[in-house]
Amino acid sequence: MKDGHKREILYGVHPVMAALAAGRRTVYAIYVTGSERNKKHPDPVRGRAAEIGVPVIVTSGDQLKRMTGSDAHQGVAAEVGRYPLSALDDVPAIKAVSGDTFLLIADGILDPHNLGALIRTGACAGVDAVIIPGDNAASPTPAVSKASAGTMESMRIVRETNIARTIDRLKESGIWVAGLDRSGGVSLYDADLTGPMALVIGGEDRGVRRLVREKCDWIVAIPQKDDVNSLNASVAGGIAMYEIVRQRRNK
């Protein structure tokens, strides 16, 4: 679902470099500051921009802050087309399911930093695609790309209106679905997570929604002390993703 008519501003060295390397978005212009403090950051960006013929515009740090709405721009930004969402049926790991198929379903993650952190960990753990709801959830914005250290730019992200129905489709394709929730009856470390797998991470406040929960093959929990508040969504997701990695390697 590419929309070349809508543009946004990516910011930060890693997101901009990742967008240039991935080649999935149209890049219209690169903006860099001319300050000595930030001079070392834009150099690889300038080089890559020159290779692909993207204009580089020198501006001020204050102007970049106004453009990006953030002072975490690191002296570089890019005017780009909107993030290219994928269709569920276009994800190779879903089209041809195998024992390596690994999906992450972010069921109502609201905080862009949590979604970015999950995408970053998922990229490291070998997740094939991230599935997000159509509303009441963080979207793949520049803030999420920054939080993901740019890994969002090469990750396939699918937006589906009805996550419960999407899980039905995945299960029909032979993919097992595990929901991660503190109230789960099965320990994360006792569940067999070695097959083609979709891991559901619930929202920060409400966890996995009831209808989505009912569609999961099982609900797993990370053991923790009863008198301690539940783990942050992105931390819990990271633990669960790497338990899947560990089990698959051992198998």
Side-chain angles (χ1 to χ4, degrees):
M1 294 174 19
K2 297 182 179 180
D3 189 347
H5 301 292
K6 294 182 179 180
R7 304 185 185 188
E8 59 189 13
I9 304 295
L10 278 181
Y11 59 92
V13 176
H14 292 303
V16 172
M17 283 297 294
L20 290 169
R24 301 178 67 209
R25 305 194 197 223
T26 301
V27 181
Y28 298 98
I30 302 293
Y31 297 87
V32 299
T33 62
S35 69
E36 288 300 317
R37 182 172 65 86
N38 289 324
K39 186 176 180 182
K40 65 180 180 179
H41 293 304
D43 284 350
V45 178
R46 288 175 188 258
R48 179 58 180 158
E51 289 176 6
I52 61 177
V54 175
V56 177
I57 300 167
V58 178
T59 186
S60 68
D62 288 341
Q63 178 61 21
L64 277 187
K65 184 176 180 179
R66 287 190 290 270
M67 290 172 61
T68 64
S70 171
D71 57 7
H73 51 70
Q74 297 179 293
V76 59
E79 184 179 3
V80 296
R82 288 288 179 89
Y83 179 86
L85 291 164
S86 299
L88 194 68
D89 294 333
D90 291 337
V91 177
I94 298 175
K95 292 171 66 175
V97 174
S98 73
D100 294 328
T101 295
F102 190 2
L103 308 173
L104 178 66
I105 301 175
D107 182 36
I109 298 293
L110 298 173
D111 186 339
H113 293 90
N114 276 338
L115 181 58
L118 285 167
I119 291 170
R120 183 177 185 178
T121 303
C124 293
V127 164
D128 298 297
V130 177
I131 300 171
I132 60 174
D135 51 24
N136 296 319
S139 298
T141 61
V144 174
S145 188
K146 182 68 168 64
S148 78
T151 56
M152 186 187 89
E153 299 305 315
S154 55
M155 176 64 74
R156 290 181 179 271
I157 298 181
V158 179
R159 178 182 285 153
E160 289 288 325
T161 302
N162 190 317
I163 296 297
R165 192 175 301 154
T166 299
I167 289 176
D168 282 338
R169 291 177 60 189
L170 296 178
K171 290 166 70 173
E172 289 168 2
S173 299
I175 298 171
W176 295 91
V177 182
L180 183 66
D181 194 276
R182 187 180 183 186
S183 63
V186 179
S187 168
L188 173 70
Y189 306 116
D190 293 332
D192 181 356
L193 306 173
T194 56
M197 182 64 55
L199 175 67
V200 183
I201 308 296
E204 294 89 347
D205 294 330
R206 59 187 177 180
V208 180
R209 291 175 294 170
R210 181 181 60 83
L211 291 178
V212 173
R213 183 187 179 99
E214 291 174 355
K215 295 292 184 178
C216 294
D217 292 299
W218 59 84
I219 302 296
V220 297
I222 299 172
Q224 60 189 73
K225 294 181 66 175
D226 292 336
D227 58 346
V228 178
N229 289 332
S230 60
L231 290 162
N232 170 276
S234 62
V235 172
I239 292 170
M241 281 187 269
Y242 267 92
E243 175 60 14
I244 293 173
V245 171
R246 186 194 68 80
Q247 289 192 20
R248 287 179 169 185
R249 290 189 65 181
N250 287 346
K251 184 178 181 180

